[in-house]
Amino acid sequence: MASKKAVAVLRPAVNGCGVRLQRAELLQNTQYATRPLARQTPRPRKLAQLSQQHVRPASSAPAKEKASKTGLYELHSKYGAKFVPFGGYSMPVQYSDLSIIDSHNWTREKASLFDVGHMVQHHFSGPGAEAFLESITPSSLSSLPERQSTLSTLLHSTGGIVDDTVVTRLADKFYVVTNAGCREKDTAYFQAQLEAWKNAHPDQHVTWKILDGQGLIALQGPLSADILSRVLDDKSKKDLKSLYFGQCTAATITGTDAEVLVSRGGYTGEDGFEISIPSYATEAVTQFLLDSAKDDLRFAGLGARDTLRLEAGMCLYGHDLDDTTTPVEAGLSWIIGKDRRAKGGFHGDSVILQQLKKKSEGGGVSRRRVGLIVEGSPAREGAEIVDEAGEKIGTITSGCPSPTLKKNISMGYVKDGMHKAGTEVEVLVRGRKRKAVVTKMPFIPSKYFKQPANIKA
Amino acid sequence: MAARTSVARAVRQLSSTAAAARRPSPFMCQRWAAQASQQQRLFSVSAALREKKYTEDHEWIEMSSDGKTCTLGISTYAAKALGDVVYIELPQIEMDVSEGDAIGAVESVKSASDILTPVSGTVAEVNSELEEKPANINKDPEGAAWIAKITVAGEPGGKMMSAEEYAEFTEDG
């Protein structure tokens, strides 16, 4: 699958979500460490006035009285997790053994294990499932092979993105993973869409199920395949050797009857797997993995997850994507299937297909998502991007110091025309202009385990 | 501009002292209020302040022996909670600052935190070495990695704590 991004990570500092927050229905903008001053008062403020937000959820999760826990909460505690509220859950932001930078580097050099059990796993089945999902996403699911995933977006009729998601075709159903921070919004969306579908297509039944309690962990890093094969039975071990990026397979944990769904991909730019585990076995399988690779595998939290995904150029919903952003503006035109471009038939198709056209044909977009490398201070969410004359041309949506590049990397939206790699712009951080250059993403090369071209079907 | 938070806020979120940071401490406040009203001296600060003092925002200040200049930095506790510091924005020399102003910022991987001055005055000197070596602040935040020296124009405002009081403040919770 595509790189999923699924998780929302948290991010550091900034937030700047003020405006966005009002727009979304709910929101808690959580962030774990900072607050944006961005659209608030420019300078000094007293602590007392600061709101008590903590983490950045993938999007808009309403503040609940009590955060939920994944099935791995106790295990995280045992490993020294520092928890933050995220997407309605108490999730580890980092662990006592490694700083965020250390954990980030560990993932790039060895392998890390992330609990992403807060994300929402769904099954869509029935004779109408494929057509239903094609009506709400721009993906070509009819051409998606079995056990193959694709990054996709749930769409509004305006072409705006409700959430980003990974859709996988299994033998008799679709497996769909959505962001934790969008849980309530997505649930309401699916309910409404299914109701409308049923009325329009009474003969094409769709069954929707949320896999409550199902565990989901992400094993990421160059040693991931080696580590995973240590806990699989012989057949699954063999299957793993020909499991390529974007594919998935059912696998059995050695010595047990626990069957898991292993999808090759992730949210770090490294080779890796997302492993969906039945609730009863989640903790045991996770512990087994950790015990099988004591020198090479560590838990990693949302802190490292955010810096890793940003280096990999992947979006975090609620920050880099929102209800007003279309896939074309977001640089995600590649998720729109070929046949979908020709025939449309999905929410927002008139808007999106028009944007895909050449400028000379009235197409194009007014803003585009770009990567930036910023001099001096990191530029975080909410920072304004300006041109030489000081005119605002865009806004930063994510940013952090890159542990791998040791430069400040950011993602944001700029006016069309200013989006080409190499374009020099400036970013306002604490009222001062900082030089920045539009840079291709990913910021560091991805290292996926791709199917060799000569084996492709 | 970007989002920021004060050191205190970041620390609160990154450590488990939330309760401590929010807890009002009436006794201390009253004492300082009384002292401030009695001594309306400008350009020089009472002897009681020459000892290193800490703010609830996790900055520290220390007065020079003549009481005219104070050195300001962030506490060891804050530096530890912030984690790997990658960038420090220093104030500009000769800048006039007022109590409570954000005079600079500390950027770690996970957050951007303002450095707040508890005292009004003029920035006399900054520790330029931190621009090149921001990580020094993780090594000796209360010594060599001081942030700025301020020529003071009055007594500090807000609650100031002694080392013992600050230790207690950061301990519980």
Side-chain angles (χ1 to χ4, degrees), chain B residues 132-161:
Chain B
E132 294 302 310
K133 296 180 180 170
N136 282 359
I137 208 151
N138 292 115
K139 293 176 195 151
D140 190 13
E142 297 198 24
W146 56 274
I147 287 168
K149 297 193 180 184
I150 295 171
T151 305
V152 300
E155 298 277 348
K159 178 179 165 184
M160 302 298 296
M161 291 171 276

Side-chain angles (χ1 to χ4, degrees), chain B residues 52-54 59-62 71-75 141-142 146:
Chain B
K52 187 183 272 184
K53 294 282 185 181
Y54 296 82
E59 287 92 11
W60 58 266
I61 59 169
E62 193 166 38
T71 304
L72 182 150
I74 68 168
S75 71
E142 297 198 24
W146 56 274

Side-chain angles (χ1 to χ4, degrees), chain A residues 34-348:
Chain A
T34 274
R35 101 214 166 85
L37 260 203
R39 283 123 203 197
Q40 306 179 11
T41 61
R43 225 38 299 241
R45 67 270 127 85
K46 296 237 161 143
L47 265 193
Q49 299 166 338
L50 299 180
S51 57
Q52 289 288 318
Q53 293 161 344
H54 290 244
V55 168
R56 310 205 325 164
S59 108
S60 35
K64 298 213 178 95
E65 309 81 55
K66 200 152 185 245
S68 305
K69 293 174 181 176
T70 70
L72 295 175
Y73 184 89
E74 299 301 326
L75 194 60
H76 296 313
S77 294
K78 198 171 108 187
Y79 281 81
K82 187 180 285 179
F83 293 94
V84 295
F86 186 78
Y89 281 76
S90 249
M91 296 303 292
V93 61
Q94 66 181 102
Y95 297 79
S96 56
D97 60 335
L98 297 174
S99 73
I100 291 177
I101 290 180
D102 292 339
S103 180
H104 177 109
N105 293 334
W106 186 282
T107 313
R108 296 254 181 259
E109 287 158 20
K110 297 179 179 181
S112 293
L113 200 53
F114 301 83
D115 180 8
V116 284
H118 57 312
M119 296 188 67
V120 190
Q121 303 177 70
H122 314 251
H123 280 163
F124 289 89
S125 56
E130 178 184 301
F132 168 68
L133 291 173
E134 281 211 335
S135 74
I136 58 172
T137 71
S139 300
S140 179
L141 300 177
S142 60
S143 63
L144 186 68
E146 195 177 309
R147 282 180 282 109
Q148 184 91 32
S149 309
T150 181
L151 177 69
S152 190
T153 54
L154 306 177
L155 294 170
H156 289 292
S157 56
T158 56
I161 299 172
V162 178
D163 195 3
D164 57 347
T165 178
V166 171
V167 180
T168 306
R169 180 193 285 274
L170 300 177
D172 52 352
K173 57 185 168 268
F174 289 92
Y175 167 63
V176 174
V177 181
T178 56
N179 280 301
C182 296
R183 181 182 300 261
E184 304 204 354
K185 182 176 84 165
D186 290 348
T187 301
Y189 173 83
F190 283 129
Q191 276 165 351
Q193 295 302 323
L194 281 166
E195 186 62 29
W197 178 263
K198 199 167 88 182
N199 293 334
H201 308 273
D203 55 333
Q204 295 186 55
H205 187 67
V206 180
T207 302
W208 167 43
K209 190 171 119 190
I210 292 181
L211 310 183
D212 268 327
Q214 179 88 356
L216 189 63
I217 56 174
L219 172 62
Q220 300 281 297
L223 303 183
S224 297
D226 176 44
I227 292 169
L228 181 57
S229 64
R230 292 179 206 174
V231 306
L232 297 181
D233 70 5
D234 290 344
K235 180 185 179 297
S236 303
K237 219 175 273 190
K238 194 162 158 261
D239 291 345
L240 201 62
K241 291 195 175 134
S242 57
L243 184 73
Y244 298 105
F245 178 75
Q247 297 179 335
C248 68
T249 182
T252 306
I253 304 298
T254 185
T256 74
D257 60 354
E259 190 172 279
V260 298
L261 180 69
V262 174
S263 308
R264 198 152 199 163
Y267 196 39
T268 62
E270 298 294 329
D271 183 23
F273 306 90
E274 290 184 346
I275 308 164
S276 177
I277 313 171
S279 171
Y280 74 89
T282 305
E283 190 182 30
V285 170
T286 305
Q287 182 75 68
F288 189 17
L289 275 164
L290 290 166
D291 291 345
S292 304
K294 284 198 165 126
D295 296 334
D296 301 325
L297 181 64
R298 294 285 172 86
F299 262 134
L302 294 172
R305 192 163 172 82
D306 195 45
T307 53
L308 289 159
R309 69 92 192 171
L310 195 47
E311 285 186 348
M314 296 175 185
C315 297
L316 173 58
Y317 192 86
H319 303 278
D320 311 308
L321 303 175
D322 65 21
D323 296 300
T324 71
T325 314
T326 70
V328 184
E329 293 169 328
L332 299 176
S333 300
W334 60 273
I335 69 170
I336 305 168
K338 208 171 167 192
D339 59 319
R340 314 306 312 275
R341 293 173 186 237
K343 295 182 211 147
F346 53 89
H347 287 357

